[in-house]
Amino acid sequence: MRRKGQKKPDGWEPLRAQIFGTQDRRLICAIRRLLKDLNPLLFHRSTVFRQPGTVNIIFTNNRHITELNRRFLHRNRPTDVLAFPLALPQESPKQILWGEIYISREQARRQAKALGRKLRAELLFLVRHGLLHLAGFSHQEMNRLP
């Protein structure tokens, strides 16, 4: 991640997010800060994120995420987060939709309680997890990141 005073990489364009399924202003602001902090890491990791684009972040329920999990991953159960890449790099993009991240609030609530975390912290962890998956990070690589 970029530290204060560190220069932005050449050609760097900030990744933007559209956030659906919440009106919690503090959560939305925290997600935007997280995205700003992760932008340079995503830029360096993936050629996808070297072009301007947007990621949709959708907070949903167990019923909807189970349906997505069954349809796309053939797992008939709820999960906490699903990340779907949607576009490939193009030579002259406008604002491309790079992917969508679905997060189950119900699963996040259960996990937060089990881990002794606040719900907002768990939701931010899952947003970060989804973004890193879109950039091509494996679980093992994510565990080594600060």
Side-chain angles (χ1 to χ4, degrees):
M1 285 190 251
R2 193 168 65 92
R3 294 191 172 98
K4 273 191 173 179
Q6 192 177 18
K7 195 175 130 183
K8 293 177 184 171
D10 290 338
W12 182 78
E13 283 284 334
L15 177 66
R16 303 200 188 295
Q18 294 184 65
I19 302 165
F20 302 95
T22 186
Q23 293 187 1
D24 180 341
R25 301 304 301 159
R26 290 175 59 195
L27 176 60
I28 292 168
C29 288
I31 290 170
R32 295 203 191 288
R33 279 192 307 274
L34 173 67
L35 195 58
K36 184 178 177 184
D37 289 343
L38 283 178
N39 259 318
L41 177 66
L42 298 174
F43 176 90
H44 285 295
R45 172 58 183 225
S46 173
T47 57
V48 166
F49 294 117
R50 291 186 184 172
Q51 298 178 27
T54 303
V55 171
N56 287 343
I57 299 169
I58 301 112
F59 293 99
T60 189
N61 58 32
N62 274 353
R63 189 172 133 242
H64 185 223
I65 210 158
T66 298
E67 180 183 314
L68 293 171
N69 205 15
R70 179 177 44 243
R71 183 173 176 194
F72 294 103
L73 298 177
H74 311 292
R75 297 177 186 147
N76 192 21
R77 64 181 184 268
T79 187
D80 52 2
V81 60
L82 291 172
F84 297 103
L86 296 176
L88 297 173
Q90 299 173 6
E91 287 186 26
S92 58
K94 302 265 184 205
Q95 281 287 11
I96 296 171
L97 178 60
W98 288 120
E100 292 188 329
I101 299 168
Y102 291 83
I103 297 170
S104 169
R105 280 185 166 280
E106 293 169 72
Q107 289 299 109
R109 190 173 289 112
R110 283 188 190 113
Q111 290 171 190
K113 187 175 181 180
L115 295 168
R117 284 187 193 167
K118 293 189 182 235
L119 176 59
R120 186 175 292 123
E122 183 66 13
L123 292 171
L124 286 172
F125 174 82
L126 294 173
V127 168
R128 180 181 188 269
H129 189 89
L131 286 167
L132 292 173
H133 268 312
L134 288 180
F137 283 89
S138 69
H139 285 121
Q140 292 168 335
E141 291 171 310
M142 283 185 222
N143 291 336
R144 291 192 299 258
L145 292 173

